[in-house]
mmCIF file of all heavy atoms in Angstrom:
data_model
loop_
_atom_site.group_PDB
_atom_site.id
_atom_site.type_symbol
_atom_site.label_atom_id
_atom_site.label_comp_id
_atom_site.label_asym_id
_atom_site.label_seq_id
_atom_site.Cartn_x
_atom_site.Cartn_y
_atom_site.Cartn_z
ATOM 1 N N LEU N 1069 -1.583 -0.762 -7.479
ATOM 2 C CA LEU N 1069 -1.312 -0.290 -8.820
ATOM 3 C C LEU N 1069 -1.620 1.212 -8.789
ATOM 4 O O LEU N 1069 -0.744 2.067 -9.247
ATOM 5 C CB LEU N 1069 -2.015 -1.093 -9.754
ATOM 6 C CG LEU N 1069 -1.744 -0.588 -11.255
ATOM 7 C CD1 LEU N 1069 -0.207 -0.685 -11.585
ATOM 8 C CD2 LEU N 1069 -2.630 -1.372 -12.232
ATOM 9 N N VAL N 1070 -2.877 1.616 -8.379
ATOM 10 C CA VAL N 1070 -3.353 3.066 -8.388
ATOM 11 C C VAL N 1070 -2.354 3.783 -7.457
ATOM 12 O O VAL N 1070 -2.006 4.882 -7.659
ATOM 13 C CB VAL N 1070 -4.615 3.215 -8.040
ATOM 14 C CG1 VAL N 1070 -5.115 4.701 -8.055
ATOM 15 C CG2 VAL N 1070 -5.661 2.450 -9.153
ATOM 16 N N TRP N 1071 -2.075 3.298 -6.211
ATOM 17 C CA TRP N 1071 -1.145 3.929 -5.287
ATOM 18 C C TRP N 1071 0.108 4.392 -6.068
ATOM 19 O O TRP N 1071 0.621 5.390 -5.957
ATOM 20 C CB TRP N 1071 -0.840 2.971 -4.131
ATOM 21 C CG TRP N 1071 -1.802 2.984 -2.989
ATOM 22 C CD1 TRP N 1071 -2.914 3.545 -2.899
ATOM 23 C CD2 TRP N 1071 -1.645 2.135 -1.840
ATOM 24 N NE1 TRP N 1071 -3.518 3.281 -1.703
ATOM 25 C CE2 TRP N 1071 -2.899 2.424 -1.109
ATOM 26 C CE3 TRP N 1071 -0.606 1.299 -1.347
ATOM 27 C CZ2 TRP N 1071 -2.900 1.837 0.210
ATOM 28 C CZ3 TRP N 1071 -0.811 0.722 -0.102
ATOM 29 C CH2 TRP N 1071 -1.895 0.947 0.713
ATOM 30 N N ASN N 1072 0.739 3.222 -6.578
ATOM 31 C CA ASN N 1072 1.900 3.565 -7.326
ATOM 32 C C ASN N 1072 1.785 4.558 -8.457
ATOM 33 O O ASN N 1072 2.726 5.437 -8.706
ATOM 34 C CB ASN N 1072 2.560 2.188 -7.876
ATOM 35 C CG ASN N 1072 2.761 1.185 -6.731
ATOM 36 O OD1 ASN N 1072 2.847 1.583 -5.568
ATOM 37 N ND2 ASN N 1072 2.902 0.014 -7.142
ATOM 38 N N ILE N 1073 0.754 4.241 -9.405
ATOM 39 C CA ILE N 1073 0.708 5.192 -10.541
ATOM 40 C C ILE N 1073 0.509 6.589 -10.270
ATOM 41 O O ILE N 1073 0.852 7.578 -10.995
ATOM 42 C CB ILE N 1073 -0.448 4.690 -11.371
ATOM 43 C CG1 ILE N 1073 -0.234 3.280 -11.998
ATOM 44 C CG2 ILE N 1073 -0.839 5.639 -12.486
ATOM 45 C CD1 ILE N 1073 0.860 3.328 -13.097
ATOM 46 N N MET N 1074 0.116 7.011 -8.991
ATOM 47 C CA MET N 1074 -0.144 8.334 -8.602
ATOM 48 C C MET N 1074 1.244 9.081 -8.705
ATOM 49 O O MET N 1074 1.205 10.337 -8.789
ATOM 50 C CB MET N 1074 -0.550 8.337 -7.196
ATOM 51 C CG MET N 1074 -2.025 7.997 -6.943
ATOM 52 S SD MET N 1074 -3.189 9.277 -7.691
ATOM 53 C CE MET N 1074 -4.822 8.526 -7.292
ATOM 54 N N GLY N 1075 2.315 8.281 -8.609
ATOM 55 C CA GLY N 1075 3.696 8.936 -8.705
ATOM 56 C C GLY N 1075 4.023 9.500 -10.039
ATOM 57 O O GLY N 1075 4.952 10.297 -9.996
ATOM 58 N N VAL N 1076 3.349 9.089 -11.130
ATOM 59 C CA VAL N 1076 3.730 9.661 -12.380
ATOM 60 C C VAL N 1076 2.389 10.418 -13.081
ATOM 61 O O VAL N 1076 2.520 10.818 -14.190
ATOM 62 C CB VAL N 1076 4.112 8.497 -13.511
ATOM 63 C CG1 VAL N 1076 5.422 7.995 -13.038
ATOM 64 C CG2 VAL N 1076 3.083 7.453 -13.551
ATOM 65 N N VAL N 1077 1.365 10.667 -12.251
ATOM 66 C CA VAL N 1077 0.217 11.424 -12.758
ATOM 67 C C VAL N 1077 0.542 12.901 -12.560
ATOM 68 O O VAL N 1077 1.000 13.394 -11.397
ATOM 69 C CB VAL N 1077 -0.929 11.240 -11.886
ATOM 70 C CG1 VAL N 1077 -2.139 12.057 -12.286
ATOM 71 C CG2 VAL N 1077 -1.473 9.662 -12.169
ATOM 72 N N PRO N 1078 0.583 13.641 -13.629
ATOM 73 C CA PRO N 1078 0.894 15.123 -13.567
ATOM 74 C C PRO N 1078 0.085 15.794 -12.376
ATOM 75 O O PRO N 1078 -1.000 15.458 -12.112
ATOM 76 C CB PRO N 1078 0.484 15.600 -14.819
ATOM 77 C CG PRO N 1078 0.695 14.491 -15.852
ATOM 78 C CD PRO N 1078 0.225 13.393 -15.024
ATOM 79 N N VAL N 1079 0.815 16.831 -11.762
ATOM 80 C CA VAL N 1079 0.185 17.515 -10.587
ATOM 81 C C VAL N 1079 0.164 16.707 -9.359
ATOM 82 O O VAL N 1079 0.794 17.089 -8.314
ATOM 83 C CB VAL N 1079 -1.247 18.046 -10.861
ATOM 84 C CG1 VAL N 1079 -1.743 18.769 -9.624
ATOM 85 C CG2 VAL N 1079 -1.252 18.944 -12.022
ATOM 86 N N LEU N 1080 -0.302 15.435 -9.329
ATOM 87 C CA LEU N 1080 -0.283 14.626 -8.191
ATOM 88 C C LEU N 1080 1.157 14.301 -7.786
ATOM 89 O O LEU N 1080 1.615 14.487 -6.758
ATOM 90 C CB LEU N 1080 -1.322 13.343 -8.420
ATOM 91 C CG LEU N 1080 -2.680 13.689 -8.558
ATOM 92 C CD1 LEU N 1080 -3.477 12.392 -8.736
ATOM 93 C CD2 LEU N 1080 -3.312 14.710 -7.629
ATOM 94 N N GLN N 1081 1.699 13.411 -8.691
ATOM 95 C CA GLN N 1081 3.172 13.035 -8.630
ATOM 96 C C GLN N 1081 3.715 12.770 -7.249
ATOM 97 O O GLN N 1081 4.589 13.256 -6.836
ATOM 98 C CB GLN N 1081 3.967 14.320 -9.246
ATOM 99 C CG GLN N 1081 3.683 14.433 -10.625
ATOM 100 C CD GLN N 1081 4.466 15.785 -11.224
ATOM 101 O OE1 GLN N 1081 4.348 16.839 -10.650
ATOM 102 N NE2 GLN N 1081 5.163 15.482 -12.370
ATOM 103 N N PHE N 1082 2.882 11.740 -6.618
ATOM 104 C CA PHE N 1082 3.301 11.177 -5.470
ATOM 105 C C PHE N 1082 2.905 9.754 -5.213
ATOM 106 O O PHE N 1082 1.712 9.427 -5.191
ATOM 107 C CB PHE N 1082 2.948 12.047 -4.144
ATOM 108 C CG PHE N 1082 3.643 11.587 -2.830
ATOM 109 C CD1 PHE N 1082 4.830 12.276 -2.539
ATOM 110 C CD2 PHE N 1082 3.035 10.584 -2.052
ATOM 111 C CE1 PHE N 1082 5.445 11.924 -1.417
ATOM 112 C CE2 PHE N 1082 3.768 10.278 -0.926
ATOM 113 C CZ PHE N 1082 4.878 10.905 -0.565
ATOM 114 N N PRO N 1083 3.893 8.743 -5.254
ATOM 115 C CA PRO N 1083 3.465 7.379 -4.991
ATOM 116 C C PRO N 1083 3.069 7.151 -3.521
ATOM 117 O O PRO N 1083 3.884 7.291 -2.656
ATOM 118 C CB PRO N 1083 4.615 6.468 -5.520
ATOM 119 C CG PRO N 1083 5.813 7.497 -5.309
ATOM 120 C CD PRO N 1083 5.234 8.842 -5.470
ATOM 121 N N VAL N 1084 1.814 6.671 -3.353
ATOM 122 C CA VAL N 1084 1.350 6.619 -1.959
ATOM 123 C C VAL N 1084 2.231 5.624 -1.188
ATOM 124 O O VAL N 1084 2.509 5.814 0.010
ATOM 125 C CB VAL N 1084 -0.187 6.107 -1.937
ATOM 126 C CG1 VAL N 1084 -0.683 5.844 -0.518
ATOM 127 C CG2 VAL N 1084 -1.006 7.159 -2.596
ATOM 128 N N ALA N 1085 2.723 4.507 -1.902
ATOM 129 C CA ALA N 1085 3.432 3.440 -1.163
ATOM 130 C C ALA N 1085 4.856 3.830 -0.732
ATOM 131 O O ALA N 1085 5.611 3.097 -0.207
ATOM 132 C CB ALA N 1085 3.455 2.159 -2.158
ATOM 133 N N SER N 1086 5.292 5.068 -1.244
ATOM 134 C CA SER N 1086 6.526 5.468 -0.861
ATOM 135 C C SER N 1086 6.570 6.072 0.551
ATOM 136 O O SER N 1086 7.645 6.438 1.192
ATOM 137 C CB SER N 1086 7.125 6.642 -1.710
ATOM 138 O OG SER N 1086 6.279 7.830 -1.641
ATOM 139 N N HIS N 1087 5.456 6.022 1.319
ATOM 140 C CA HIS N 1087 5.254 6.116 2.660
ATOM 141 C C HIS N 1087 5.130 4.864 3.349
ATOM 142 O O HIS N 1087 4.236 4.219 3.053
ATOM 143 C CB HIS N 1087 4.109 7.201 3.095
ATOM 144 C CG HIS N 1087 4.504 8.670 3.254
ATOM 145 N ND1 HIS N 1087 3.991 9.441 4.243
ATOM 146 C CD2 HIS N 1087 5.391 9.320 2.686
ATOM 147 C CE1 HIS N 1087 4.603 10.517 4.316
ATOM 148 N NE2 HIS N 1087 5.457 10.654 3.223
ATOM 149 N N ILE N 1088 6.012 4.456 4.195
ATOM 150 C CA ILE N 1088 6.119 3.027 4.644
ATOM 151 C C ILE N 1088 4.737 2.683 5.340
ATOM 152 O O ILE N 1088 4.342 1.430 5.409
ATOM 153 C CB ILE N 1088 7.332 2.874 5.539
ATOM 154 C CG1 ILE N 1088 7.408 1.409 5.935
ATOM 155 C CG2 ILE N 1088 7.203 3.781 6.802
ATOM 156 C CD1 ILE N 1088 7.636 0.398 4.936
ATOM 157 N N ALA N 1089 3.988 3.628 6.022
ATOM 158 C CA ALA N 1089 2.847 3.321 6.745
ATOM 159 C C ALA N 1089 1.840 2.646 5.821
ATOM 160 O O ALA N 1089 1.152 1.592 6.453
ATOM 161 C CB ALA N 1089 2.331 4.511 7.299
ATOM 162 N N PHE N 1090 1.685 2.941 4.613
ATOM 163 C CA PHE N 1090 0.635 2.401 3.727
ATOM 164 C C PHE N 1090 0.820 0.937 3.449
ATOM 165 O O PHE N 1090 0.122 0.062 3.735
ATOM 166 C CB PHE N 1090 0.343 3.296 2.610
ATOM 167 C CG PHE N 1090 -0.110 4.692 2.916
ATOM 168 C CD1 PHE N 1090 0.693 5.708 2.946
ATOM 169 C CD2 PHE N 1090 -1.490 4.842 3.161
ATOM 170 C CE1 PHE N 1090 0.237 6.885 3.316
ATOM 171 C CE2 PHE N 1090 -1.998 6.098 3.485
ATOM 172 C CZ PHE N 1090 -1.162 7.142 3.592
ATOM 173 N N PRO N 1091 2.058 0.603 2.814
ATOM 174 C CA PRO N 1091 2.261 -0.807 2.517
ATOM 175 C C PRO N 1091 2.477 -1.619 3.745
ATOM 176 O O PRO N 1091 2.135 -2.683 3.826
ATOM 177 C CB PRO N 1091 3.584 -0.868 1.723
ATOM 178 C CG PRO N 1091 4.196 0.491 1.955
ATOM 179 C CD PRO N 1091 3.110 1.493 2.289
ATOM 180 N N ALA N 1092 2.918 -1.010 4.918
ATOM 181 C CA ALA N 1092 3.080 -1.834 6.158
ATOM 182 C C ALA N 1092 1.755 -2.225 6.767
ATOM 183 O O ALA N 1092 1.508 -3.307 7.185
ATOM 184 C CB ALA N 1092 3.877 -0.903 7.165
ATOM 185 N N VAL N 1093 0.692 -1.244 6.718
ATOM 186 C CA VAL N 1093 -0.544 -1.728 7.273
ATOM 187 C C VAL N 1093 -1.178 -2.794 6.327
ATOM 188 O O VAL N 1093 -1.770 -3.737 6.868
ATOM 189 C CB VAL N 1093 -1.407 -0.480 7.216
ATOM 190 C CG1 VAL N 1093 -2.810 -0.816 7.544
ATOM 191 C CG2 VAL N 1093 -1.017 0.501 8.390
ATOM 192 N N LEU N 1094 -1.117 -2.608 5.031
ATOM 193 C CA LEU N 1094 -1.705 -3.465 4.061
ATOM 194 C C LEU N 1094 -0.959 -4.903 4.263
ATOM 195 O O LEU N 1094 -1.671 -5.952 4.188
ATOM 196 C CB LEU N 1094 -1.625 -3.069 2.769
ATOM 197 C CG LEU N 1094 -2.441 -3.835 1.548
ATOM 198 C CD1 LEU N 1094 -3.866 -3.759 1.949
ATOM 199 C CD2 LEU N 1094 -2.196 -3.160 0.233
ATOM 200 N N ALA N 1095 0.241 -4.962 4.479
ATOM 201 C CA ALA N 1095 1.064 -6.178 4.593
ATOM 202 C C ALA N 1095 0.735 -6.937 5.938
ATOM 203 O O ALA N 1095 0.539 -8.055 5.917
ATOM 204 C CB ALA N 1095 2.586 -5.929 4.476
ATOM 205 N N LEU N 1096 0.548 -6.022 6.934
ATOM 206 C CA LEU N 1096 0.101 -6.705 8.319
ATOM 207 C C LEU N 1096 -1.354 -7.208 8.223
ATOM 208 O O LEU N 1096 -1.454 -8.268 8.747
ATOM 209 C CB LEU N 1096 0.306 -5.689 9.390
ATOM 210 C CG LEU N 1096 1.686 -5.371 9.751
ATOM 211 C CD1 LEU N 1096 1.751 -4.086 10.728
ATOM 212 C CD2 LEU N 1096 2.484 -6.429 10.371
ATOM 213 N N LEU N 1097 -2.079 -6.582 7.557
ATOM 214 C CA LEU N 1097 -3.569 -7.115 7.436
ATOM 215 C C LEU N 1097 -3.490 -8.365 6.739
ATOM 216 O O LEU N 1097 -4.171 -9.481 7.089
ATOM 217 C CB LEU N 1097 -4.357 -6.111 6.708
ATOM 218 C CG LEU N 1097 -4.841 -4.748 7.455
ATOM 219 C CD1 LEU N 1097 -5.573 -3.906 6.581
ATOM 220 C CD2 LEU N 1097 -5.642 -5.238 8.703
ATOM 221 N N ILE N 1098 -2.797 -8.513 5.602
ATOM 222 C CA ILE N 1098 -2.622 -9.868 4.825
ATOM 223 C C ILE N 1098 -1.963 -10.860 5.701
ATOM 224 O O ILE N 1098 -2.401 -11.973 5.747
ATOM 225 C CB ILE N 1098 -2.038 -9.520 3.504
ATOM 226 C CG1 ILE N 1098 -2.741 -8.611 2.540
ATOM 227 C CG2 ILE N 1098 -1.630 -10.908 2.900
ATOM 228 C CD1 ILE N 1098 -2.017 -8.201 1.430
ATOM 229 N N TYR N 1099 -0.975 -10.418 6.459
ATOM 230 C CA TYR N 1099 -0.382 -11.518 7.306
ATOM 231 C C TYR N 1099 -1.197 -11.981 8.461
ATOM 232 O O TYR N 1099 -1.126 -13.126 8.829
ATOM 233 C CB TYR N 1099 1.034 -10.894 7.612
ATOM 234 C CG TYR N 1099 2.052 -12.079 7.970
ATOM 235 C CD1 TYR N 1099 2.643 -12.777 6.835
ATOM 236 C CD2 TYR N 1099 2.288 -12.576 9.246
ATOM 237 C CE1 TYR N 1099 3.338 -13.903 7.170
ATOM 238 C CE2 TYR N 1099 3.111 -13.598 9.469
ATOM 239 C CZ TYR N 1099 3.743 -14.199 8.324
ATOM 240 O OH TYR N 1099 4.614 -15.312 8.566
ATOM 241 N N GLY N 1100 -1.966 -11.109 9.040
ATOM 242 C CA GLY N 1100 -2.827 -11.365 10.075
ATOM 243 C C GLY N 1100 -3.827 -12.482 9.507
ATOM 244 O O GLY N 1100 -4.238 -13.334 10.175
ATOM 245 N N LEU N 1101 -4.283 -12.249 8.281
ATOM 246 C CA LEU N 1101 -5.247 -13.126 7.687
ATOM 247 C C LEU N 1101 -4.524 -14.486 7.416
ATOM 248 O O LEU N 1101 -5.205 -15.604 7.593
ATOM 249 C CB LEU N 1101 -5.778 -12.536 6.209
ATOM 250 C CG LEU N 1101 -6.616 -13.488 5.464
ATOM 251 C CD1 LEU N 1101 -8.009 -13.752 6.200
ATOM 252 C CD2 LEU N 1101 -6.907 -12.793 4.050
ATOM 253 N N LYS N 1102 -3.377 -14.458 6.964
ATOM 254 C CA LYS N 1102 -2.604 -15.795 6.863
ATOM 255 C C LYS N 1102 -2.483 -16.531 8.092
ATOM 256 O O LYS N 1102 -2.706 -17.697 8.068
ATOM 257 C CB LYS N 1102 -1.142 -15.423 6.278
ATOM 258 C CG LYS N 1102 -0.168 -16.484 6.437
ATOM 259 C CD LYS N 1102 1.340 -16.149 6.231
ATOM 260 C CE LYS N 1102 2.280 -17.123 6.751
ATOM 261 N NZ LYS N 1102 2.151 -18.352 6.075
ATOM 262 N N VAL N 1103 -2.120 -15.895 9.229
ATOM 263 C CA VAL N 1103 -2.033 -16.589 10.522
ATOM 264 C C VAL N 1103 -3.350 -17.124 10.890
ATOM 265 O O VAL N 1103 -3.425 -18.201 11.392
ATOM 266 C CB VAL N 1103 -1.366 -15.598 11.590
ATOM 267 C CG1 VAL N 1103 -1.434 -16.465 12.816
ATOM 268 C CG2 VAL N 1103 -0.020 -15.265 11.139
ATOM 269 N N TYR N 1104 -4.507 -16.278 10.855
ATOM 270 C CA TYR N 1104 -5.726 -16.731 11.117
ATOM 271 C C TYR N 1104 -6.188 -17.929 10.381
ATOM 272 O O TYR N 1104 -6.799 -18.919 10.978
ATOM 273 C CB TYR N 1104 -6.754 -15.567 10.884
ATOM 274 C CG TYR N 1104 -8.251 -15.922 10.920
ATOM 275 C CD1 TYR N 1104 -8.928 -16.240 12.161
ATOM 276 C CD2 TYR N 1104 -8.950 -16.056 9.770
ATOM 277 C CE1 TYR N 1104 -10.166 -16.609 12.169
ATOM 278 C CE2 TYR N 1104 -10.132 -16.584 9.780
ATOM 279 C CZ TYR N 1104 -10.797 -16.771 10.982
ATOM 280 O OH TYR N 1104 -12.179 -17.118 10.999
ATOM 281 N N LEU N 1105 -6.051 -17.915 9.109
ATOM 282 C CA LEU N 1105 -6.321 -18.997 8.296
ATOM 283 C C LEU N 1105 -5.445 -20.249 8.543
ATOM 284 O O LEU N 1105 -6.126 -21.385 8.581
ATOM 285 C CB LEU N 1105 -6.278 -18.668 6.825
ATOM 286 C CG LEU N 1105 -7.221 -17.688 6.197
ATOM 287 C CD1 LEU N 1105 -6.850 -17.276 4.813
ATOM 288 C CD2 LEU N 1105 -8.627 -18.169 6.209
ATOM 289 N N GLY N 1106 -4.299 -20.153 8.912
ATOM 290 C CA GLY N 1106 -3.467 -21.218 9.215
ATOM 291 C C GLY N 1106 -3.885 -21.881 10.463
ATOM 292 O O GLY N 1106 -4.033 -23.189 10.439
#
């Protein structure tokens, strides 16, 4: 949520998740946890 909100904060104005590396790493960590738990 904070990553995304950065996109409408004056001066900052950049959503972190608009760079694919950040959501990709987070999604892979979660999916790695899913496989491990399974």
Side-chain angles (χ1 to χ4, degrees):
L1069 180 61
V1070 175
W1071 277 2
N1072 297 346
I1073 291 296
M1074 290 291 181
V1076 294
V1077 175
V1079 179
L1080 302 180
Q1081 292 178 310
F1082 190 90
V1084 176
S1086 66
H1087 265 219
I1088 185 61
F1090 295 97
V1093 168
L1094 194 55
L1096 286 174
L1097 289 174
I1098 291 170
Y1099 205 76
L1101 177 62
K1102 164 189 162 63
V1103 174
Y1104 166 77
L1105 290 173

